[in-house]
């Protein structure tokens, strides 16, 4: 059983519709050719009548003179030839007009088909962008719900203070020996948490994020980054759309050790002028956004300094490729920590 042919795209139907409007080339005998035929037959009839009415003696003398005979032949057939030359010229002119009209119609059809294809491509791109924005919005909503749940979770009871105890207590009461304290967060999980779940179906991403939020310092950075990303998305700025120029791990270590200005300038790898301009205007006009950015930059600075103590160069480069790091590059450039003008 053969498979049915795939349906043609709407653009193909549009092209066929426009090409169908091209006038077909006409064939057959034209009115000019009919007129030329009538004139030729009329002339030949007139010549036949003329020769038929001549006297036998005159006809014999005419045939005996070669020059006269040639002039007679020319007089008979030259008008017929001129008639058909004129008819042929008229037919050629008509053909050229028809071909010109067909060519113009074909060009118009191609132009209309191109316009329809551009329109269809624009609608497809618009639908794709709307779907992507909706997906990002859903992921942010789910992430916001996760963060809100963990923010309002009941705090663990305070540990007894060994210094104020009346009698010596076992060392198990110290925070360092607390069996309920979360395990240290691996570098891969820390980096994955700062990149956030890819979408609302990223189960592994949400699992790592929940584990990261159990660590107080990491939870503060994730929360601050999420607040900034949400505010930036209100202006249509998404980290996935930004392609930073990557710096090497040495500059990240200089930043972790407190370096600022020109010595860490390569870290400001976001150069998209539209995003920088929108962020700078938001920093000037929106105090809530400005406070959120400054809190995020302080938290990012503290956590990267702590992370860099045990991180490899590969870990630092992986960190630089996260959404949180891209937000740092953008807001840090606007805030002037890379030696640029401050917002």
């Amino acid at each position: 059983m053969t498979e049915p042919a795939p349906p043609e795209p709407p653009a193909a139907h549009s092209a066929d519709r426009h090409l169908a409007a091209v006038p077909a080339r006409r064939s057959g005998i034209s009115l000019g050719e009919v007129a030329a035929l009538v004139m030729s037959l009329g002339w030949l009839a007139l010549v036949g009548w003329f020769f038929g009415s001549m006297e036998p003696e005159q006809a014999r003398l005419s045939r005996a003179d070669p020059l006269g005979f040639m002039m007679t032949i020319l007089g008979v057939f030259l008008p017929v030839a001129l008639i058909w030359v004129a008819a042929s010229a008229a037919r050629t002119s008509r053909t050229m007009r028809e071909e010109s009209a067909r060519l113009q119609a074909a060009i118009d059809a191609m132009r209309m088909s191109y316009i329809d294809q551009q329109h269809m491509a624009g609608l497809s791109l618009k639908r794709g962008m709307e779907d992507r924005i909706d997906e990002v919005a859903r992921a942010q909503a789910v992430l916001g719900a996760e963060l809100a749940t963990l923010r309002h979770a009941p705090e663990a009871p305070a540990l007894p203070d060994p210094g104020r105890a009346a009698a010596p207590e076992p060392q198990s009461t110290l925070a360092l020996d607390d069996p309920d304290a979360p395990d240290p967060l691996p570098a891969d999980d820390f980096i994955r948490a700062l990149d956030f779940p890819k979408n609302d179906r990223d189960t592994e991403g949400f699992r790592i994020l929940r584990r990261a939020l159990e660590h107080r310092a990491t939870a503060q950075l994730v929360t601050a980054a999420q607040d900034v990303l949400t505010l930036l998305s209100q202006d249509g700025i998404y980290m996935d759309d930004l392609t930073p120029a990557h710096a090497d791990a040495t500059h990240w270590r200089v930043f972790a050790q407190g370096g600022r200005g020109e010595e860490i300038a390569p870290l400001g790898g976001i150069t998209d002028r539209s995003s920088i301009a929108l962020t700078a205007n938001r920093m000037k006009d929106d105090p809530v956004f400005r406070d959120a950015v400054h809190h995020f930059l302080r938290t990012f600075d503290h956590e990267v300094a702590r992370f860099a103590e045990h991180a490899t160069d590969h870990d630092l480069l992986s960190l630089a490729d996260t959404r949180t790091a891209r937000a740092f590059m953008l807001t840090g450039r606007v805030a002037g920590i890379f030696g640029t003008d401050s917002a």
Side-chain angles (χ1 to χ4, degrees):
M1 180 176 181
T2 59
E3 296 182 357
E8 296 183 357
H13 293 293
S14 176
D16 293 341
R17 184 175 64 253
H18 292 305
L19 289 175
V22 177
R25 181 178 177 179
R26 292 181 297 175
S27 60
I29 300 177
S30 65
L31 182 61
E33 292 170 340
V34 172
L37 180 60
V38 172
M39 292 174 65
S40 299
L41 293 176
W43 173 253
L44 293 176
L46 180 62
V47 169
W49 173 82
F50 175 76
F51 282 106
S53 62
M54 292 179 63
E55 294 294 336
E57 186 65 24
Q58 292 178 343
R60 185 170 56 255
L61 293 174
S62 176
R63 289 194 296 270
D65 184 7
L67 181 59
F69 181 75
M70 290 297 299
M71 295 300 296
T72 302
I73 294 298
L74 289 176
V76 172
F77 292 104
L78 183 59
V80 176
L82 292 177
I83 290 172
W84 284 102
V85 166
S88 177
R91 183 180 182 87
T92 302
S93 177
R94 186 193 69 172
T95 302
M96 292 180 64
R97 287 196 302 269
E98 292 178 353
E99 291 298 331
S100 178
R102 283 178 55 82
L103 180 60
Q104 184 61 44
I107 293 175
D108 292 341
M110 292 174 62
R111 182 169 60 249
M112 294 301 298
S113 177
Y114 175 77
I115 294 174
D116 289 346
Q117 290 178 1
Q118 292 295 104
H119 180 66
M120 294 298 297
L123 292 178
S124 177
L125 179 61
K126 182 179 179 181
R127 287 194 294 268
M129 290 296 296
E130 291 176 350
D131 293 342
R132 182 176 181 182
I133 292 173
D134 292 341
E135 184 177 353
V136 172
R138 288 195 300 270
Q140 287 186 344
V142 175
L143 180 58
E146 293 281 349
L147 292 174
T149 301
L150 291 168
R151 284 178 184 175
H152 297 88
E155 297 182 357
L159 297 174
D161 186 356
R164 300 181 61 182
E169 295 290 340
Q171 289 295 325
S172 60
T173 59
L174 293 175
L176 295 177
D177 297 328
D178 185 2
D180 297 329
D183 296 333
L185 193 65
D188 291 343
D189 288 356
F190 178 78
I191 295 169
R192 183 68 179 82
L194 295 188
D195 200 31
F196 295 103
K198 293 181 175 59
N199 48 56
D200 54 352
R201 298 179 298 277
D202 188 1
T203 306
E204 180 66 13
F206 280 107
R207 184 191 67 78
I208 294 175
L209 180 64
R210 283 191 290 269
R211 183 179 179 188
L213 292 175
E214 295 175 358
H215 296 76
R216 179 178 177 83
T218 305
Q220 290 179 346
L221 176 57
V222 169
T223 302
Q226 172 62 17
D227 292 341
V228 170
L229 293 179
T230 301
L231 293 172
L232 288 173
S233 67
Q234 295 174 358
D235 290 331
I237 303 174
Y238 300 97
M239 297 303 102
D240 290 341
D241 297 334
L242 303 178
T243 305
H246 295 292
D248 55 36
T250 303
H251 293 96
W252 283 102
R253 294 196 184 279
V254 171
F255 169 73
Q257 295 169 4
R260 294 294 182 272
E262 295 298 330
E263 57 184 345
I264 62 166
L267 297 186
I270 299 297
T271 57
D272 183 74
R273 295 183 179 180
S274 175
S275 300
I276 293 174
L278 289 172
T279 306
N281 291 335
R282 188 80 179 268
M283 286 277 284
K284 293 177 181 178
D285 300 335
D286 189 347
V288 174
F289 178 75
R290 184 167 56 248
D291 291 343
V293 168
H294 288 159
H295 173 65
F296 165 66
L297 292 176
R298 288 193 300 269
T299 308
F300 186 85
D301 181 11
H302 179 270
E303 282 304 294
V304 169
R306 181 190 62 79
F307 177 73
E309 294 178 357
H310 307 288
T312 64
D313 289 352
H314 177 74
D315 292 338
L316 290 174
L317 294 178
S318 298
L319 172 68
D321 202 32
T322 61
R323 293 184 176 95
T324 299
R326 295 182 187 184
F328 161 73
M329 296 175 191
L330 175 61
T331 56
R333 176 175 286 277
V334 173
I337 67 174
F338 304 125
T340 58
D341 293 335
S342 169

